[in-house]
Amino acid sequence: MKDLLRIADLTADDLTLLLELADGFEEEPGSAGHLLAHQIVPMYFAKPSTRTRLSTAAAVARLGGTPVPVGPGELQLRRGETIGDTARVMSSYAAAIVIRTFADTDVADLAVAAAVPVINALTDGHHPLQAITDLLTIQEHFGTLRGHRIAYLGDGGNVARSLMEAAALAGMDVAVATPPGYAPPDAAITFTATEADSGGGGFVLTTDPAEAVKDASVVYTDVWLSMGDPDGEQARRRKALAPYQVNERLMGQARDDAVFMHCLPAHRDEEVTAGVIDGGRSLAFRQAANRLPAAQAVLYALLTERLKGRR
Ligand code: CP
Ligand code: NVA
């Protein structure tokens, strides 16, 4: 498997390997030597980013390479050069390409034309680097993934999708509660249900937040309005998603030892109360820190051709 575009391309063994590698890099950041010495990794970000941009840049640096940030206005793409031509040219200089953009088809086109690994750093549809980090964080906290229920509440967007796919692939019990009209895409539901069936975890898709958090070890949410969602949708989303806010009352319905997780950035007192995200049960900043070893693991695994993939 050359690229990391979405979680559903990974096998369960690939995911286990990535978590093992990330765990190793957390202990010993320099253990992979200078795999990327004298090489660059272009990082194309068409959307804002704090964590992904910096953790990926740090991961490239830890592997001995040089990250090169390129904004959408800095390449010839805006002047009509095709994604395919851009990918072919970049491949002559770069060891890998990191891309955050809107359409998944653009990232797929880039990956097909690129001779080097392409890493999806968030699209409208997926956020695989985040989901790998999230499982690393849960494993670190509870010591295991199997036997734990992860409850995701809120908008069924990119973060929800990658998280539910990864959690099911890892054999976790997955519960997703979204308002009508905000459910994850059918492909994500089918993948998660199939993995849950074969992997031993359960899968619940509901509109009832209380049903999702019952017996949950992890309660997870994301912003209600994602990058690329029209600003005009804000009021409608706030109204629809209000019952899915993660607050003290809802946390009280999960397991006694349940933790709260959020990919960040967070909007306090929208999708989560300040008391929950800043409280003792929140792993949100542990997740943010774990983005670095997770990014290092993904780069290492792709550069050394360690991932088998499904196709
Ligand atoms: N969680 C996450 O991807 O954050 P950034 O948008 O800041 O990269
Ligand atoms: N769903 C959010 C995640 C940000 C990390 C977005 O796409 O804006």
Side-chain angles (χ1 to χ4, degrees):
M1 176 169 149
K2 180 176 80 68
D3 313 294
L4 179 67
L5 304 191
R6 47 182 209 154
I7 292 293
D9 291 337
L10 297 170
T11 65
D13 285 348
D14 291 334
L15 184 56
T16 303
L17 174 69
L18 287 169
L19 296 176
E20 278 169 14
L21 287 169
D23 191 44
F25 286 132
E26 218 181 323
E27 297 290 315
E28 272 189 79
S31 55
H34 281 84
L35 189 64
L36 281 172
H38 311 298
Q39 300 187 77
I40 66 161
V41 175
M43 308 206 333
Y44 175 86
F45 279 67
K47 290 175 174 172
S49 171
T50 298
R51 281 143 289 271
T52 310
R53 180 195 307 271
L54 295 175
S55 61
T56 312
V60 170
R62 277 189 173 178
L63 293 170
T66 304
V68 179
V70 282
E74 293 171 330
L75 299 178
Q76 296 283 11
L77 279 168
R78 283 245 175 105
R79 298 186 62 249
E81 187 164 33
T82 65
I83 291 176
D85 287 356
T86 305
R88 278 192 286 277
V89 172
M90 278 185 170
S91 301
S92 344
Y93 320 129
I97 302 169
V98 175
I99 174 167
R100 167 173 288 200
T101 193
F102 297 85
D104 281 282
T105 47
D106 285 351
V107 180
D109 290 348
L110 185 82
V112 165
V116 297
V118 171
I119 298 173
N120 178 351
L122 181 146
T123 48
D124 292 346
H126 302 271
H127 198 0
L129 289 172
Q130 182 67 52
I132 293 161
T133 304
D134 297 336
L135 295 198
L136 176 70
T137 310
I138 297 167
Q139 191 164 271
E140 200 176 272
H141 183 83
F142 286 109
T144 172
L145 296 170
R146 279 182 189 277
H148 290 282
R149 166 178 277 207
I150 181 160
Y152 177 91
L153 271 66
D155 178 34
N158 46 13
V159 167
R161 178 176 193 169
S162 291
L163 182 72
M164 65 198 269
E165 291 178 346
L169 199 50
M172 290 186 76
D173 184 13
V174 180
V176 175
T178 64
Y182 292 86
D186 289 346
I189 294 168
T190 304
F191 179 87
T192 306
T194 308
E195 284 306 315
D197 267 356
S198 62
F203 175 45
V204 172
L205 181 65
T206 177
T207 54
D208 178 6
E211 185 188 352
V213 299
K214 188 173 179 309
D215 299 326
S217 301
V218 179
V219 181
Y220 197 118
T221 192
D222 180 19
V223 291
W224 288 344
L225 190 77
S226 282
M227 296 178 280
D229 287 338
D231 286 346
E233 272 197 30
Q234 188 128 32
R236 190 168 66 90
R237 283 176 167 262
R238 274 204 182 128
K239 188 158 179 262
L241 287 151
Y244 300 80
Q245 182 193 62
V246 180
N247 49 36
E248 288 76 353
R249 182 186 51 78
L250 209 66
M251 286 302 293
Q253 295 170 36
R255 259 172 51 159
D256 287 346
D257 61 349
V259 292
F260 169 74
M261 294 180 71
H262 194 308
C263 54
L264 302 177
H267 293 103
R268 285 173 176 73
D269 298 326
E270 281 195 21
E271 74 274 6
V272 58
T273 58
V276 168
I277 192 167
D278 298 321
R281 297 165 84 177
S282 173
L283 294 185
F285 293 92
R286 189 67 234 146
Q287 287 170 265
N290 278 342
R291 293 295 306 269
L292 172 48
Q296 199 177 351
V298 168
L299 276 162
Y300 179 84
L302 291 175
L303 290 162
T304 55
E305 299 178 17
R306 299 279 297 280
L307 300 180
K308 293 198 173 61
R310 284 171 185 259
R311 285 174 292 175

